[in-house]
Amino acid sequence: MAYKTLVHTEIYNHIEDQETNIRTIYPKLLDTTVMIHTTDAKDALTFTSDIIDDFGPRLTGTTACEKAGDAIHANLSKYCDTTTKEQFETCPNSFMAFMKIFGIVYVCFSSLLLIGRAGIYLTALGFSFATLYAYLHFVQYKETFNFLFKKKSGTNIIGKISPKNKIKRRVIVAGHHDSAKVMNFMANPKLQKWYGPRIITGLLIFFGINGLLLAWAIIDIFTGTIPQFVNYLPLILLVGSPAVLQFYFFNSKEVSPGAGDNMIAVAITCKLAELYGTAKKAGKNPLNHTELVFISFDSEEAGIRGSRAYVKHHLKELRSVPTFLFNMDSIYHVDELSFLQSDLNQIVKLSDSMIEDCQKIAQELGYPTTKGKIAWGGGATDAAEFGRHGIEATTLLGMENHVIRDHLVYHTMEDTPDKIELEAVLASLQIANQYILSKDKIISSS
């Protein structure tokens, strides 16, 4: 594939360039039961590179995504007690369809105002449908209008390692292996900082016009008069058109390689499975009462459908013992590591106690981290479905989490392994590892 030579050349140069720095800042370990080394971080980057080389971009429902899942399953099968594939049905094209719906409604339904009184109600109805669709599918991540779209199959990959004794708690380590369509809004580095303002401005204009149309229709029904603001509506529609019509061209037909978002998180998950599985097979299982579950979710980029399917199918099991989801997403920069306090456009609250534990571990390892709500309009991570059902969860991010951001590669064709800092991978491995060990120590001592 086009990535093969580029990725392998740059990734190894990238690793060598950072090796001296890694040795210099190598942090102390809280628990040496399972050791994390720089070579483990290298392995995770190499695994990420190999998946992209072999399968390329991995849009949900495509052969590439399915084969990547098979490779992840094969890797986990070497080290886990049990490894399974769980298929689910989804309609990936329904998630971001509101973008094109906005553009179509804006042009086609606005023209209906020219046909007279009936046009008022038809236009208000069209705009209201688009607004409702955006709210349900993008703000709430519902699947209300999935019936309008073609169904496709997604596959979650799950590996489990049992403890030495009775299971009293469970730690899930997770990432997602599907990648996203390239965002045209993000593709030009010079315009990235305007991504948030462009989205917010377009939404406010569309929703504002929708409000005016509804007000006009209601006033017409009850009084039969034309409100004063109607005189300005053509000008508002004209001036607002660039901000709204841009939504139609939001996504490119190209699909991102998805190294940092989010193949590296899956590679970290697989590496941890390898370390714990190898220790168990050598008769040195470090876990007394903690079951480890390693998951690579599919369809995160299509509205967290994979994690939703998993939680729905396993909810009774998840509630049978205290369960903690350590999810990872967009691991790029060590100095931007943070834990999410809320998810799903800030609607779903995540675990404060879990974040406190993770931050304490990170601090003691020498990695200062922050915490914060997901940026509104930033969508969701797979932790959202767990948090929605009261399961303790958080997501470790490794990139900026603000409305106005710059110098990003996620959701672009530049999301290749060489953009991921080795330190960020090492830190993520060590924090997740120490969190696992600390949870088992607490339950074992009690």
Side-chain angles (χ1 to χ4, degrees), residues 56-197:
R58 304 164 305 284
L59 201 64
T60 291
T62 62
T63 301
C65 193
E66 182 182 354
K67 288 185 175 180
D70 290 342
I72 294 161
H73 179 271
N75 183 280
L76 288 175
S77 295
K78 297 181 206 173
Y79 309 107
C80 294
D81 298 332
T82 61
T83 310
T84 57
K85 299 178 187 178
E86 292 186 354
Q87 285 196 322
F88 57 93
E89 280 192 339
T90 184
C91 301
N93 292 329
S94 72
F95 175 49
M96 297 296 287
F98 81 93
M99 294 285 194
K100 288 194 178 293
I101 291 172
F102 270 20
I104 293 168
V105 165
Y106 200 86
V107 173
C108 297
F109 280 79
S110 295
S111 63
L112 293 177
L113 292 173
L114 300 174
I115 69 174
R117 192 175 185 188
I120 304 171
Y121 306 117
L122 290 173
T123 306
L125 185 63
F127 270 73
S128 296
F129 168 74
T131 296
L132 179 64
Y133 192 109
Y135 175 75
L136 291 173
H137 277 248
F138 184 70
V139 178
Q140 291 280 355
Y141 275 47
K142 301 289 187 182
E143 301 175 59
T144 310
F145 296 104
N146 270 13
F147 64 90
L148 298 173
F149 299 86
K150 185 178 179 180
K151 289 183 179 180
K152 294 187 178 181
S153 291
T155 307
N156 293 327
I157 313 299
I158 303 108
K160 292 184 177 181
I161 296 178
S162 300
K164 289 183 284 190
N165 305 306
K166 181 181 177 181
I167 297 172
K168 294 184 179 180
R169 67 178 43 184
R170 178 181 300 108
V171 174
I172 301 173
V173 182
H176 69 85
H177 58 270
D178 64 307
S179 59
K181 285 186 176 181
V182 170
M183 289 181 182
N184 286 324
F185 283 20
M186 298 290 295
N188 187 338
K190 295 179 180 178
L191 299 178
Q192 280 189 6
K193 66 179 64 176
W194 298 105
Y195 170 81

Side-chain angles (χ1 to χ4, degrees), residues 24 69 88 109-111 145 202 206 215 228 235 254 273 285 291 313 359 372 429 440-441:
T24 302
F88 57 93
F109 280 79
S110 295
S111 63
F145 296 104
F206 192 92
Q228 195 94 27
L235 179 61
E254 291 185 300
N285 189 348
E291 179 186 52
H313 185 66
Q359 282 200 290
L429 276 165
D440 189 64
K441 277 191 174 181

Side-chain angles (χ1 to χ4, degrees), residues 108 165 210 214 222 393-394 408:
C108 297
N165 305 306
N210 189 188
L214 286 172
F222 288 102
T394 189
L408 301 180

